[in-house]
Amino acid sequence: MPKTQINLDGWQDYRGNAAGSLLYVETSHTSEVPVRDQLNENGKGFLYEPNYETSTYGLMSCYNVKAVNAILKAKSRYILFGTRYEGLSDSEMRNKYLIMGYMRIDKIKDVRTRHIQRYMANPELEEPECMQMEHNWAVYGPMRFVSMNDSFVVTDEILKEWGYRGHASRQLKAVFKKEHLEQIIKYLDEKEDMIDEYIATVDEYKEALEEG
C-alpha cells in the first residue's frame, strides 16, 4: 500500500500487453538501498520519480516524460526500474546493472496542465520538460522494490541469450516480452518487499532538504 493515497478521480483504467519496459533510475550514492536520487548527487536534478510514497510515476514532477509516453505507446503493462548500483554497500553488486523494482500500470492520467500551472505560479522553477509536448502521462499502480542484494542482475550475456539488442547500460531501452517479464517478476516477488525502507530513506532526504 502506498504511504499516501492520492485522489484517483480523472484517472483512466489502463490495459496493457504482457510486456515490461525497462526504465533507468538515477539512484543515491549515500544509501544502501538503491533509492531515487533525491539529493541530486548525479547532477540530473532533485528526483521525485519513481514516487514510492504515492505509487506513481510522473505525477509529482515533470521528469522523463518522453520515456513514460513511449512506454504507454508500446502498451507495456509493467515498468521495470533499473540502475547502475553505486550506493553505500561494497558488495559484489556494485557497478552492476540491477532491476531493483517494478510497477504494474493500472491507471494513467495526462498531467501536463498540472505541471505547467505549477511552473507558471513558480517561474523560478526550471521550465518543465512537458511544456513543448502534447501529452504528459502519469502512471499509477502497485510497486514492489527489493534490496540491492536481492535485485535481478541484467548482464550482456542474459540480453544476448534472451534475444535482445544492446548492452546493460543506462541507454538500454529493452521491452521484455511475456516469458522474460514473468521470470523477472517471479524473481523479485520471491524476495522481501523493501518499499517501506525506500520510503523511509527518501523521507529522510526530504527532511534534510527542507532543513537546508
Side-chain angles (χ1 to χ4, degrees):
M1 289 292 291
K3 174 184 176 183
T4 303
Q5 183 60 54
I6 63 170
N7 183 351
L8 293 174
D9 291 345
W11 289 74
Q12 306 171 34
D13 290 338
Y14 177 80
R15 295 290 180 268
N17 300 322
S21 290
L22 190 59
L23 187 62
Y24 192 87
V25 180
E26 297 288 348
T27 47
S28 174
H29 302 175
T30 55
S31 67
E32 185 164 316
V33 290
V35 298
R36 65 180 187 245
D37 184 6
Q38 187 89 42
L39 302 177
N40 193 22
E41 298 167 53
N42 296 292
K44 305 292 185 181
F46 298 87
L47 303 187
Y48 287 84
E49 316 294 346
N51 197 261
Y52 325 112
E53 306 93 302
T54 58
S55 221
T56 62
Y57 194 109
L59 177 64
M60 305 309 294
S61 67
C62 180
Y63 177 75
N64 234 358
V65 180
K66 291 180 181 179
V68 175
N69 286 356
I71 288 170
L72 297 183
K73 186 176 181 179
K75 295 292 184 183
S76 291
R77 185 63 193 275
Y78 285 84
I79 298 177
L80 304 173
F81 297 109
T83 196
R84 179 75 65 181
Y85 183 76
E86 297 179 285
L88 286 180
S89 175
D90 288 326
S91 85
E92 61 181 17
M93 293 294 203
R94 175 169 288 278
N95 293 320
K96 292 187 177 180
Y97 193 109
L98 311 178
I99 295 177
M100 67 286 196
Y102 68 83
M103 173 185 194
R104 189 186 73 216
I105 305 173
D106 285 354
K107 292 181 179 293
I108 62 174
K109 184 177 183 179
D110 190 343
V111 293
R112 180 177 179 274
T113 300
R114 167 193 172 98
H115 292 314
I116 290 177
Q117 287 178 343
R118 182 165 58 185
Y119 169 66
M120 298 302 287
N122 301 277
E124 74 279 2
L125 297 176
E126 184 178 350
E127 181 177 306
E129 181 183 341
C130 59
M131 181 70 82
Q132 307 302 325
M133 303 179 68
E134 184 178 358
H135 298 290
N136 176 186
W137 294 103
V139 294
Y140 168 88
M143 291 181 173
R144 183 181 186 86
F145 283 84
V146 302
S147 71
M148 169 267 304
N149 282 323
D150 285 341
S151 298
F152 184 91
V153 181
V154 180
T155 64
D156 290 350
E157 291 73 24
I158 285 178
L159 293 172
K160 183 177 180 180
E161 179 185 336
W162 285 359
Y164 299 98
R165 299 176 64 181
H167 299 282
S169 70
R170 67 167 54 246
Q171 287 78 31
L172 183 63
K173 304 295 184 185
V175 179
F176 292 102
K177 53 191 177 184
K178 184 175 185 291
E179 61 179 306
H180 302 134
L181 170 68
E182 289 179 346
Q183 288 185 49
I184 296 169
I185 295 296
K186 182 176 184 292
Y187 181 92
L188 296 175
D189 281 349
E190 290 174 348
K191 310 301 182 184
E192 182 181 359
D193 188 358
M194 300 289 288
I195 197 164
D196 287 344
E197 184 168 342
Y198 279 66
I199 292 172
T201 300
V202 295
D203 279 350
E204 289 179 6
Y205 289 168
K206 284 186 285 189
E207 289 174 6
L209 288 171
E210 289 172 2
E211 291 173 359

